[in-house]
């Protein structure tokens, strides 16, 4: 039935759905657009989507808002999905605040992804998306022009950002107000990227490893929306920064008071 379909764009979020049948028989090898496909699911009985684990996503180019605002979803397994041709994942999981697992995304390849903004924003129940012991293959590249808020306000505790090239990207608020505890950002390339608020207002104490990172790393990455190390623990937490840059390392000894602004939600 679906063998030759190329577009699964769900322009109208399927909020009214009360159930979804097993979708393992769907042939998705020709599908290119999965925008909004499962966005807005909010029926308490829809906690997972059966049959999508083994979907062929090798030709998919768009997954933006695919699961956005699906507040009833709790479990997905997208481990086997091939993402190497995807060019936008903007808001893919945005606001899916009851998701606790999406599988192991360590082997996802996002080298062609131009827009990862808000990809995991407000996924507050999601703690882990990839291995800590295996290098992630995401490989964000110079093609990425917008990574703003990618993990902002998420519950994800570990991100392997090694060798990411965001030199042409908007990386503002990348981890803003998130629960991240360790970012392996060694050998990142930031060039002239906008890094305002990149690590500002974190919810937990964190270690940010930026050794070998190159580019115009702005100090307001840590305190662009207020000062980073916070006298009020409701808004941000102490930070340890590992870096070759003495100016960045100096943040470890800094004492700041965080001032909440109208931009913080």
């Amino acid at each position: 039935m679906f063998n030759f379909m190329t577009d699964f764009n769900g322009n109208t979020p399927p909020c009214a759905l009360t159930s979804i049948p097993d979708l393992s028989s769907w042939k998705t090898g020709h599908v290119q657009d999965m925008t909004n496909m499962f966005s807005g699911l909010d029926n308490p009985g829809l906690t997972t989507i059966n049959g999508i684990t083994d979907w062929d996503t090798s030709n998919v180019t768009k997954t933006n808002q695919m699961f956005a605002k699906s507040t009833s979803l709790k479990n997905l397994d997208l481990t086997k999905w091939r993402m190497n041709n995807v060019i936008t994942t903007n808001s893919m999981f945005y606001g899916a605040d009851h998701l606790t697992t999406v599988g192991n995304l360590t082997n996802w390849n996002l080298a062609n992804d131009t827009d990862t903004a808000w990809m995991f924003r407000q996924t507050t129940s999601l703690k882990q998306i990839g291995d800590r012991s295996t290098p992630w293959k995401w490989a964000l590249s110079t093609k990425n022009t917008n990574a703003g808020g990618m993990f902002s306000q998420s519950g994800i505790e570990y991100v392997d950002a090694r060798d990411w090239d965001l030199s042409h990207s908007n990386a503002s608020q990348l981890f803003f107000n998130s629960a991240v505890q360790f970012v392996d950002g060694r050998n990142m390339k930031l060039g002239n990227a906008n890094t305002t608020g990149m690590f500002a207002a974190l919810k937990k104490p964190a270690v940010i490893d930026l050794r070998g990172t190159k580019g115009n790393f702005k100090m307001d990455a840590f305190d662009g929306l207020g000062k980073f190390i916070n006298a009020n623990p409701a808004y941000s937490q102490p930070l340890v920064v590992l870096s070759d840059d003495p100016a960045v390392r100096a943040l470890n000894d800094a004492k700041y008071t965080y001032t909440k602004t109208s931009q913080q939600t």
Side-chain angles (χ1 to χ4, degrees):
M1 180 177 179
F2 300 102
N3 285 18
F4 299 102
M5 288 190 68
T6 62
D7 189 346
F8 278 3
N9 188 323
N11 292 306
T12 303
C15 302
L17 289 177
T18 58
S19 64
I20 298 177
D22 188 291
L23 305 180
S24 57
S25 63
W26 285 24
K27 307 300 181 184
T28 57
H30 294 279
V31 176
Q32 298 174 359
D33 191 350
M34 291 187 171
T35 299
N36 284 323
M37 190 173 180
F38 299 109
S39 62
L41 299 177
D42 61 359
N43 187 287
L46 284 173
T47 60
T48 192
I49 303 172
N50 293 314
I52 67 174
T53 299
D54 294 309
W55 272 9
D56 181 354
T57 56
S58 57
N59 284 309
V60 174
T61 60
K62 298 178 181 179
T63 61
N64 38 305
Q65 301 181 54
M66 187 173 181
F67 303 100
K69 291 291 185 177
S70 286
T71 55
S72 65
L73 287 181
K74 295 182 179 180
N75 304 291
L76 295 171
D77 186 359
L78 311 181
T79 302
K80 298 178 183 179
W81 280 24
R82 294 178 60 188
M83 302 290 285
N84 50 298
N85 284 318
V86 172
I87 60 173
T88 174
T89 54
N90 186 304
S91 304
M92 185 174 179
F93 303 99
Y94 164 54
D97 56 2
H98 286 85
L99 265 181
T100 60
T101 181
V102 291
N104 184 347
L105 309 186
T106 299
N107 290 321
W108 276 21
N109 182 344
L110 301 179
N112 289 313
D113 201 333
T114 65
D115 188 354
T116 56
W118 284 29
M119 186 176 178
F120 293 96
R121 178 176 166 83
Q122 294 181 1
T123 52
T124 52
S125 300
L126 190 60
K127 307 299 182 186
Q128 183 175 337
I129 57 175
D131 287 342
R132 290 176 180 250
S133 58
T134 305
W136 294 13
K137 297 180 179 179
W138 288 27
L140 268 64
S141 71
T142 54
K143 294 181 180 180
N144 189 295
T145 58
N146 191 8
M150 185 175 178
F151 298 98
S152 62
Q153 299 178 328
S154 78
I156 297 168
E157 297 175 346
Y158 170 75
V159 172
D160 182 352
R162 278 176 285 184
D163 300 305
W164 286 10
D165 191 337
L166 299 178
S167 56
H168 299 284
S169 185
N170 166 29
S172 63
Q173 300 190 34
L174 188 67
F175 293 95
F176 173 71
N177 202 214
S178 74
V180 73
Q181 297 178 47
F182 182 58
V183 176
D184 192 340
R186 286 175 289 173
N187 302 313
M188 291 178 69
K189 297 180 180 66
L190 294 174
N192 292 314
N194 178 3
T195 58
T196 300
M198 193 172 181
F199 300 103
L202 299 188
K203 294 179 179 178
K204 296 183 179 181
V207 174
I208 313 296
D209 191 345
L210 298 174
R211 288 174 292 179
T213 293
K214 306 294 183 183
N216 183 23
F217 202 95
K218 302 173 183 178
M219 291 304 99
D220 62 5
F222 302 96
D223 61 358
L225 300 180
K227 297 302 184 182
F228 189 87
I229 299 179
N230 184 8
N232 182 347
Y235 297 122
S236 64
Q237 296 287 337
L239 173 74
V240 174
V241 182
L242 307 177
S243 176
D244 303 317
D245 187 332
V248 177
R249 287 202 307 271
L251 289 172
N252 292 313
D253 300 318
K255 303 297 180 185
Y256 296 127
T257 300
Y258 183 84
T259 303
K260 184 178 180 181
T261 76
S262 60
Q263 298 181 58
Q264 181 176 332
T265 56

